[in-house]
PDB file of all heavy atoms in Angstrom:
ATOM      1  N   PHE A 260      13.474 -13.442 -21.274  1.00 96.00           N
ATOM      2  CA  PHE A 260      14.394 -13.464 -20.137  1.00 96.00           C
ATOM      3  C   PHE A 260      14.753 -14.897 -19.781  1.00 96.00           C
ATOM      4  O   PHE A 260      15.929 -15.224 -19.564  1.00 96.00           O
ATOM      5  CB  PHE A 260      13.742 -12.766 -18.945  1.00 96.00           C
ATOM      6  CG  PHE A 260      14.563 -12.796 -17.684  1.00 96.00           C
ATOM      7  CD1 PHE A 260      15.584 -11.883 -17.492  1.00 96.00           C
ATOM      8  CD2 PHE A 260      14.306 -13.733 -16.691  1.00 96.00           C
ATOM      9  CE1 PHE A 260      16.343 -11.904 -16.326  1.00 96.00           C
ATOM     10  CE2 PHE A 260      15.059 -13.762 -15.528  1.00 96.00           C
ATOM     11  CZ  PHE A 260      16.079 -12.839 -15.346  1.00 96.00           C
ATOM     12  N   GLN A 261      13.750 -15.767 -19.730  1.00 95.00           N
ATOM     13  CA  GLN A 261      13.987 -17.179 -19.412  1.00 95.00           C
ATOM     14  C   GLN A 261      14.904 -17.824 -20.454  1.00 95.00           C
ATOM     15  O   GLN A 261      15.835 -18.557 -20.112  1.00 95.00           O
ATOM     16  CB  GLN A 261      12.640 -17.914 -19.348  1.00 95.00           C
ATOM     17  CG  GLN A 261      12.729 -19.396 -19.039  1.00 95.00           C
ATOM     18  CD  GLN A 261      12.691 -20.258 -20.282  1.00 95.00           C
ATOM     19  OE1 GLN A 261      12.217 -19.823 -21.326  1.00 95.00           O
ATOM     20  NE2 GLN A 261      13.195 -21.466 -20.184  1.00 95.00           N
ATOM     21  N   ASN A 262      14.680 -17.529 -21.721  1.00 93.00           N
ATOM     22  CA  ASN A 262      15.526 -18.083 -22.775  1.00 93.00           C
ATOM     23  C   ASN A 262      16.960 -17.579 -22.659  1.00 93.00           C
ATOM     24  O   ASN A 262      17.923 -18.340 -22.844  1.00 93.00           O
ATOM     25  CB  ASN A 262      14.967 -17.715 -24.152  1.00 93.00           C
ATOM     26  CG  ASN A 262      13.867 -18.665 -24.597  1.00 93.00           C
ATOM     27  OD1 ASN A 262      13.721 -19.752 -24.045  1.00 93.00           O
ATOM     28  ND2 ASN A 262      13.096 -18.252 -25.587  1.00 93.00           N
ATOM     29  N   ARG A 263      17.103 -16.283 -22.364  1.00 90.00           N
ATOM     30  CA  ARG A 263      18.442 -15.692 -22.250  1.00 90.00           C
ATOM     31  C   ARG A 263      19.227 -16.354 -21.109  1.00 90.00           C
ATOM     32  O   ARG A 263      20.391 -16.724 -21.272  1.00 90.00           O
ATOM     33  CB  ARG A 263      18.290 -14.189 -21.992  1.00 90.00           C
ATOM     34  CG  ARG A 263      19.586 -13.438 -21.711  1.00 90.00           C
ATOM     35  CD  ARG A 263      20.297 -13.074 -23.003  1.00 90.00           C
ATOM     36  NE  ARG A 263      21.392 -12.152 -22.746  1.00 90.00           N
ATOM     37  CZ  ARG A 263      21.557 -10.990 -23.347  1.00 90.00           C
ATOM     38  NH1 ARG A 263      20.670 -10.598 -24.244  1.00 90.00           N
ATOM     39  NH2 ARG A 263      22.588 -10.224 -23.080  1.00 90.00           N
ATOM     40  N   ILE A 264      18.573 -16.506 -19.955  1.00 88.00           N
ATOM     41  CA  ILE A 264      19.242 -17.111 -18.807  1.00 88.00           C
ATOM     42  C   ILE A 264      19.551 -18.585 -19.070  1.00 88.00           C
ATOM     43  O   ILE A 264      20.627 -19.073 -18.728  1.00 88.00           O
ATOM     44  CB  ILE A 264      18.383 -16.960 -17.539  1.00 88.00           C
ATOM     45  CG1 ILE A 264      18.158 -15.484 -17.214  1.00 88.00           C
ATOM     46  CG2 ILE A 264      19.031 -17.669 -16.359  1.00 88.00           C
ATOM     47  CD1 ILE A 264      19.428 -14.690 -16.996  1.00 88.00           C
ATOM     48  N   LYS A 265      18.611 -19.278 -19.683  1.00 85.00           N
ATOM     49  CA  LYS A 265      18.820 -20.704 -19.977  1.00 85.00           C
ATOM     50  C   LYS A 265      19.990 -20.898 -20.926  1.00 85.00           C
ATOM     51  O   LYS A 265      20.840 -21.783 -20.711  1.00 85.00           O
ATOM     52  CB  LYS A 265      17.548 -21.293 -20.581  1.00 85.00           C
ATOM     53  CG  LYS A 265      17.620 -22.800 -20.800  1.00 85.00           C
ATOM     54  CD  LYS A 265      16.275 -23.333 -21.272  1.00 85.00           C
ATOM     55  CE  LYS A 265      16.319 -24.843 -21.457  1.00 85.00           C
ATOM     56  NZ  LYS A 265      15.003 -25.383 -21.886  1.00 85.00           N
ATOM     57  N   ASN A 266      20.061 -20.083 -21.974  1.00 80.00           N
ATOM     58  CA  ASN A 266      21.164 -20.197 -22.928  1.00 80.00           C
ATOM     59  C   ASN A 266      22.493 -19.871 -22.267  1.00 80.00           C
ATOM     60  O   ASN A 266      23.510 -20.509 -22.532  1.00 80.00           O
ATOM     61  CB  ASN A 266      20.931 -19.269 -24.116  1.00 80.00           C
ATOM     62  CG  ASN A 266      19.778 -19.726 -24.983  1.00 80.00           C
ATOM     63  OD1 ASN A 266      19.413 -20.891 -24.981  1.00 80.00           O
ATOM     64  ND2 ASN A 266      19.189 -18.797 -25.724  1.00 80.00           N
ATOM     65  N   LEU A 267      22.468 -18.879 -21.384  1.00 74.00           N
ATOM     66  CA  LEU A 267      23.683 -18.513 -20.669  1.00 74.00           C
ATOM     67  C   LEU A 267      24.118 -19.635 -19.739  1.00 74.00           C
ATOM     68  O   LEU A 267      25.303 -19.947 -19.619  1.00 74.00           O
ATOM     69  CB  LEU A 267      23.455 -17.220 -19.879  1.00 74.00           C
ATOM     70  CG  LEU A 267      24.649 -16.668 -19.102  1.00 74.00           C
ATOM     71  CD1 LEU A 267      25.772 -16.294 -20.052  1.00 74.00           C
ATOM     72  CD2 LEU A 267      24.227 -15.465 -18.270  1.00 74.00           C
ATOM     73  N   TYR A 268      23.140 -20.272 -19.098  1.00 65.00           N
ATOM     74  CA  TYR A 268      23.433 -21.368 -18.180  1.00 65.00           C
ATOM     75  C   TYR A 268      24.074 -22.538 -18.927  1.00 65.00           C
ATOM     76  O   TYR A 268      25.064 -23.116 -18.473  1.00 65.00           O
ATOM     77  CB  TYR A 268      22.144 -21.818 -17.505  1.00 65.00           C
ATOM     78  CG  TYR A 268      22.333 -22.893 -16.460  1.00 65.00           C
ATOM     79  CD1 TYR A 268      22.571 -22.543 -15.135  1.00 65.00           C
ATOM     80  CD2 TYR A 268      22.274 -24.246 -16.779  1.00 65.00           C
ATOM     81  CE1 TYR A 268      22.756 -23.516 -14.160  1.00 65.00           C
ATOM     82  CE2 TYR A 268      22.452 -25.229 -15.824  1.00 65.00           C
ATOM     83  CZ  TYR A 268      22.683 -24.855 -14.514  1.00 65.00           C
ATOM     84  OH  TYR A 268      22.861 -25.815 -13.565  1.00 65.00           O
ATOM     85  N   VAL A 269      23.532 -22.847 -20.086  1.00 63.00           N
ATOM     86  CA  VAL A 269      24.080 -23.942 -20.884  1.00 63.00           C
ATOM     87  C   VAL A 269      25.498 -23.616 -21.324  1.00 63.00           C
ATOM     88  O   VAL A 269      26.413 -24.439 -21.236  1.00 63.00           O
ATOM     89  CB  VAL A 269      23.184 -24.210 -22.109  1.00 63.00           C
ATOM     90  CG1 VAL A 269      23.857 -25.197 -23.057  1.00 63.00           C
ATOM     91  CG2 VAL A 269      21.833 -24.762 -21.657  1.00 63.00           C
ATOM     92  N   LYS A 270      25.709 -22.372 -21.763  1.00 60.00           N
ATOM     93  CA  LYS A 270      27.028 -21.959 -22.233  1.00 60.00           C
ATOM     94  C   LYS A 270      28.065 -22.070 -21.117  1.00 60.00           C
ATOM     95  O   LYS A 270      29.179 -22.554 -21.322  1.00 60.00           O
ATOM     96  CB  LYS A 270      26.962 -20.527 -22.753  1.00 60.00           C
ATOM     97  CG  LYS A 270      28.289 -20.001 -23.273  1.00 60.00           C
ATOM     98  CD  LYS A 270      28.130 -18.583 -23.790  1.00 60.00           C
ATOM     99  CE  LYS A 270      29.464 -18.047 -24.293  1.00 60.00           C
ATOM    100  NZ  LYS A 270      29.327 -16.648 -24.782  1.00 60.00           N
ATOM    101  N   ASN A 271      27.691 -21.629 -19.932  1.00 59.00           N
ATOM    102  CA  ASN A 271      28.625 -21.646 -18.811  1.00 59.00           C
ATOM    103  C   ASN A 271      28.797 -23.033 -18.206  1.00 59.00           C
ATOM    104  O   ASN A 271      29.655 -23.237 -17.350  1.00 59.00           O
ATOM    105  CB  ASN A 271      28.161 -20.670 -17.718  1.00 59.00           C
ATOM    106  CG  ASN A 271      28.299 -19.228 -18.152  1.00 59.00           C
ATOM    107  OD1 ASN A 271      29.036 -18.925 -19.083  1.00 59.00           O
ATOM    108  ND2 ASN A 271      27.587 -18.332 -17.483  1.00 59.00           N
ATOM    109  N   SER A 272      27.940 -23.985 -18.623  1.00 54.00           N
ATOM    110  CA  SER A 272      28.004 -25.332 -18.064  1.00 54.00           C
ATOM    111  C   SER A 272      28.757 -26.302 -18.966  1.00 54.00           C
ATOM    112  O   SER A 272      28.735 -27.505 -18.752  1.00 54.00           O
ATOM    113  CB  SER A 272      26.578 -25.868 -17.830  1.00 54.00           C
ATOM    114  OG  SER A 272      25.901 -25.077 -16.889  1.00 54.00           O
ATOM    115  N   GLN A 273      29.400 -25.792 -19.994  1.00 50.00           N
ATOM    116  CA  GLN A 273      30.179 -26.658 -20.872  1.00 50.00           C
ATOM    117  C   GLN A 273      31.411 -27.190 -20.139  1.00 50.00           C
ATOM    118  O   GLN A 273      32.071 -26.453 -19.416  1.00 50.00           O
ATOM    119  CB  GLN A 273      30.619 -25.890 -22.117  1.00 50.00           C
ATOM    120  CG  GLN A 273      29.474 -25.538 -23.048  1.00 50.00           C
ATOM    121  CD  GLN A 273      29.965 -24.761 -24.259  1.00 50.00           C
ATOM    122  OE1 GLN A 273      31.037 -24.200 -24.234  1.00 50.00           O
ATOM    123  NE2 GLN A 273      29.157 -24.758 -25.297  1.00 50.00           N
ATOM    124  N   ASN A 274      31.704 -28.456 -20.349  1.00 42.00           N
ATOM    125  CA  ASN A 274      32.906 -29.000 -19.717  1.00 42.00           C
ATOM    126  C   ASN A 274      34.136 -28.721 -20.579  1.00 42.00           C
ATOM    127  O   ASN A 274      34.055 -28.078 -21.629  1.00 42.00           O
ATOM    128  CB  ASN A 274      32.747 -30.502 -19.456  1.00 42.00           C
ATOM    129  CG  ASN A 274      32.585 -31.296 -20.749  1.00 42.00           C
ATOM    130  OD1 ASN A 274      32.944 -30.830 -21.827  1.00 42.00           O
ATOM    131  ND2 ASN A 274      32.058 -32.501 -20.621  1.00 42.00           N
ATOM    132  N   GLN A 275      35.286 -29.206 -20.176  1.00 39.00           N
ATOM    133  CA  GLN A 275      36.530 -28.868 -20.852  1.00 39.00           C
ATOM    134  C   GLN A 275      36.574 -29.407 -22.280  1.00 39.00           C
ATOM    135  O   GLN A 275      37.314 -28.897 -23.112  1.00 39.00           O
ATOM    136  CB  GLN A 275      37.724 -29.414 -20.062  1.00 39.00           C
ATOM    137  CG  GLN A 275      37.922 -28.711 -18.722  1.00 39.00           C
ATOM    138  CD  GLN A 275      39.124 -29.263 -17.971  1.00 39.00           C
ATOM    139  OE1 GLN A 275      39.711 -30.261 -18.383  1.00 39.00           O
ATOM    140  NE2 GLN A 275      39.467 -28.608 -16.879  1.00 39.00           N
ATOM    141  N   ASN A 276      35.805 -30.417 -22.554  1.00 43.00           N
ATOM    142  CA  ASN A 276      35.766 -30.976 -23.909  1.00 43.00           C
ATOM    143  C   ASN A 276      34.757 -30.265 -24.796  1.00 43.00           C
ATOM    144  O   ASN A 276      34.551 -30.653 -25.927  1.00 43.00           O
ATOM    145  CB  ASN A 276      35.421 -32.471 -23.852  1.00 43.00           C
ATOM    146  CG  ASN A 276      36.498 -33.259 -23.152  1.00 43.00           C
ATOM    147  OD1 ASN A 276      37.690 -32.953 -23.299  1.00 43.00           O
ATOM    148  ND2 ASN A 276      36.091 -34.273 -22.402  1.00 43.00           N
ATOM    149  N   GLY A 277      34.114 -29.239 -24.229  1.00 48.00           N
ATOM    150  CA  GLY A 277      33.146 -28.498 -25.024  1.00 48.00           C
ATOM    151  C   GLY A 277      31.802 -29.139 -25.114  1.00 48.00           C
ATOM    152  O   GLY A 277      30.942 -28.734 -25.890  1.00 48.00           O
ATOM    153  N   GLU A 278      31.577 -30.200 -24.309  1.00 44.00           N
ATOM    154  CA  GLU A 278      30.296 -30.883 -24.348  1.00 44.00           C
ATOM    155  C   GLU A 278      29.324 -30.196 -23.396  1.00 44.00           C
ATOM    156  O   GLU A 278      29.666 -29.859 -22.258  1.00 44.00           O
ATOM    157  CB  GLU A 278      30.478 -32.344 -23.936  1.00 44.00           C
ATOM    158  CG  GLU A 278      31.377 -33.116 -24.888  1.00 44.00           C
ATOM    159  CD  GLU A 278      31.666 -34.494 -24.337  1.00 44.00           C
ATOM    160  OE1 GLU A 278      31.354 -34.751 -23.163  1.00 44.00           O
ATOM    161  OE2 GLU A 278      32.219 -35.330 -25.102  1.00 44.00           O
TER     162      GLU A 278
END
Side-chain angles (χ1 to χ4, degrees):
F260 177 82
Q261 179 263 339
N262 277 344
R263 174 83 169 234
I264 299 301
K265 185 174 182 179
N266 291 337
L267 182 63
Y268 184 90
V269 171
K270 180 179 179 181
N271 290 341
S272 297
Q273 291 179 341
N274 63 20
Q275 292 181 352
N276 295 323
E278 297 173 349

